[in-house]
């Protein structure tokens, strides 16, 4: 077999959260008008998903609840993240019946890449037939519909899924290099193409480039001047090329690792209230480090401010919409007793006490195994601080994350106990 000739597929589960809710109710997602949203958060809450039936009526997948016309009489399903994760794991198990884990890359909870190359001769089927069989099996057993793209590399498979599959009667699009150029070179908007977001599109449009054909025709020196080394990815993808293989993805080892936590606050928080939440976030992050037997050598904090009344929400990164800072630590830390004061110090140095806060993000970087680090552990006597953290983790594993909480979590503005009952910021 020619090892350079590969066949990849990218399978996406249609409106996954909404489809799972429909299936759990015994309803057909293709005909049921259902939205996944938490109405207790207000009519302005963002819908996590809308069913394919609503998508067919023109409803965007990430609309706000008040934008769904009441005349459509939609079913409003509060999010159940544990159910979605369990269903996603079951569907992954269906794929595992036919494809080895080393030939699969889980891209998100509802999307997976498959290297089909060695399975086509083994099963004696075409790529479309194999993918069709997987999609049918998922629909029969879990009630969830899927779409798929097939191509000679990961990028073309993803582009076929995103742009072409929705127009195919079987919801499967298959492209090779030639058909990629015929059908996608002049496709607009260019933001439909994987990896090209609004910011890149704006920078391309400033050079009168509005599609992949325009990228291919542009002088490479101009693209490198505008995008730096990222121009290489733009140029490769515009020509339908992607050198990265599934084997390389599996073999990849990141140069550095980090642990992150963040949240959108339920209302505008004052400077003092924000520090309560940061105590919780820093404490939980520290316990996560101890649980994973890691220490951190740097901290990053981002504070997102509430927009003044009457002003449209800022795009992320707009000057004044947030404040952020990072610090390399003199010595690695990992326990709450060490981490919390450092985070509060960062907050005091960067945050504006006069502005209300709606978003917080905290990241611990330069991670090292505990055995490799010379830790800074205030108040530690014979490892007592570390052992206390390990004991707290053991209690939480057995009785739940809210079994042991810091005193700050008992304050009215605290969010920790509620978030311990959530997955991804939503009800489990």
């Amino acid at each position: 077999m020619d090892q350079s000739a590969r066949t990849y597929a990218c399978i996406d589960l249609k409106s996954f959260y909404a489809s799972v809710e429909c299936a759990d109710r015994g309803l057909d997602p293709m005909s049921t008008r259902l939205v996944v949203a938490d109405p207790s958060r207000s009519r302005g809450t963002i819908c996590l998903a809308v069913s394919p039936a609503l998508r067919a009526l023109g409803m965007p997948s990430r609309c706000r609840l008040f934008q769904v016309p009441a005349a459509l009489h939609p079913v409003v399903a509060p999010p159940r993240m544990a159910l979605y994760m369990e269903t996603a794991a079951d569907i992954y198990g269906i794929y595992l019946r036919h494809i080895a884990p080393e030939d699969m890359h889980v891209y998100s909870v509802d999307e997976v890449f498959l290297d089909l190359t060695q399975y086509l001769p083994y099963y004696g089927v075409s790529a479309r037939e194999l993918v069709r069989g997987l999609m049918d099996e998922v629909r029969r057993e879990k009630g969830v519909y899927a779409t798929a793209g097939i191509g000679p590399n990961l990028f073309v498979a993803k582009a076929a899924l995103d742009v072409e599959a929705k127009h195919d009667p079987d919801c499967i699009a298959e492209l090779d290099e030639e058909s990629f150029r015929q059908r996608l070179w002049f496709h607009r908007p260019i933001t439909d193409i994987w990896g090209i977001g609004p910011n890149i599109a704006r920078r391309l449009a400033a050079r009168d480039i509005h599609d992949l054909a325009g990228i291919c025709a542009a002088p490479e020196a101009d693209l490198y001047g505008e995008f730096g080394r990222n121009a290489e990815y733009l140029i490769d993808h515009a020509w339908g090329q992607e050198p990265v293989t599934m084997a390389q993805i599996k073999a990849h080892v990141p140069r550095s690792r980090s642990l992150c936590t963040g949240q959108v606050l339920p209302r505008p928080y004052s400077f003092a209230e924000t520090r309560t939440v940061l105590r919780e976030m820093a404490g939980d992050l520290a316990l996560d480090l101890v649980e994973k037997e890691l220490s951190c050598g740097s901290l990053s904090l981002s504070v997102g401010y509430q927009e003044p009344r009457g002003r449209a929400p800022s795009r992320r990164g707009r000057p004044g919409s947030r404040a952020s800072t990072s610090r390399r630590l003199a010595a690695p830390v990992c326990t709450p007793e060490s981490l919390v004061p450092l985070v509060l110090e960062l907050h005091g140095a960067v945050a504006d006490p006069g502005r209300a806060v709606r978003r917080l993000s905290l990241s611990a970087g330069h991670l090292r195994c505990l055995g490799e680090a010379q830790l800074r552990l205030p108040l530690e006597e014979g490892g007592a601080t570390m052992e206390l953290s390990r004991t707290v983790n053991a209690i939480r594993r057995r009785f739940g994350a809210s079994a042991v909480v810091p005193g700050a979590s008992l304050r009215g503005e605290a969010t920790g106990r509620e978030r311990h009952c959530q997955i991804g910021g939503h009800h489990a």
Side-chain angles (χ1 to χ4, degrees), residues 30 34 38-39 71 193 218 247 255 258 267 274 285 364 369 381 388:
M30 304 306 291
L34 180 144
D38 186 353
I193 304 299
R255 293 181 181 177
S258 65
R267 56 173 174 79
T274 299
L285 185 62
C369 295
E381 297 179 3
L388 176 60

Side-chain angles (χ1 to χ4, degrees), residues 50 60 64 70 104 112 117 139 144 166 178 188 208 238 248 266 368 391 402 420 423-424:
V50 303
R64 294 187 181 274
M104 282 192 284
V112 64
T117 309
R139 187 177 68 253
V144 176
K166 67 185 74 173
E178 182 178 353
R188 298 185 184 186
D208 199 27
Q248 289 173 318
R368 299 171 62 184
T391 300
S402 292
H420 289 159
I423 298 176

Side-chain angles (χ1 to χ4, degrees), residues 150-161:
I150 301 170
N153 58 53
L154 294 164
F155 171 73
V156 172
K158 174 65 170 169
L161 166 71

Side-chain angles (χ1 to χ4, degrees), residues 45-72:
T45 189
I46 295 177
C47 298
L48 296 186
V50 303
S51 64
L54 281 176
R55 291 293 301 275
L57 296 176
M59 294 301 305
S61 59
R62 300 287 286 176
C63 60
R64 294 187 181 274
L65 188 55
F66 71 81
Q67 294 176 308
V68 182
L72 295 178

Side-chain angles (χ1 to χ4, degrees), residues 309-348:
R309 289 185 178 274
R311 179 186 296 178
S314 297
R315 293 189 298 270
R316 183 176 296 180
R318 173 175 170 175
S321 65
R322 66 184 179 94
S324 59
T325 185
S326 298
R327 180 181 298 178
R328 188 70 183 265
L329 305 180
V333 299
C334 66
T335 63
E337 291 80 1
S338 305
L339 201 62
V340 171
L342 291 171
V343 171
L344 294 179
E345 184 181 335
L346 282 179
H347 177 249

Side-chain angles (χ1 to χ4, degrees), residues 18-42:
S19 294
V20 173
E21 291 291 347
C22 288
D24 192 60
R25 291 165 166 78
L27 304 173
D28 182 358
M30 304 306 291
S31 59
T32 302
R33 298 168 180 175
L34 180 144
V35 299
V36 178
D38 186 353
S40 67
R41 295 190 177 189
S42 82

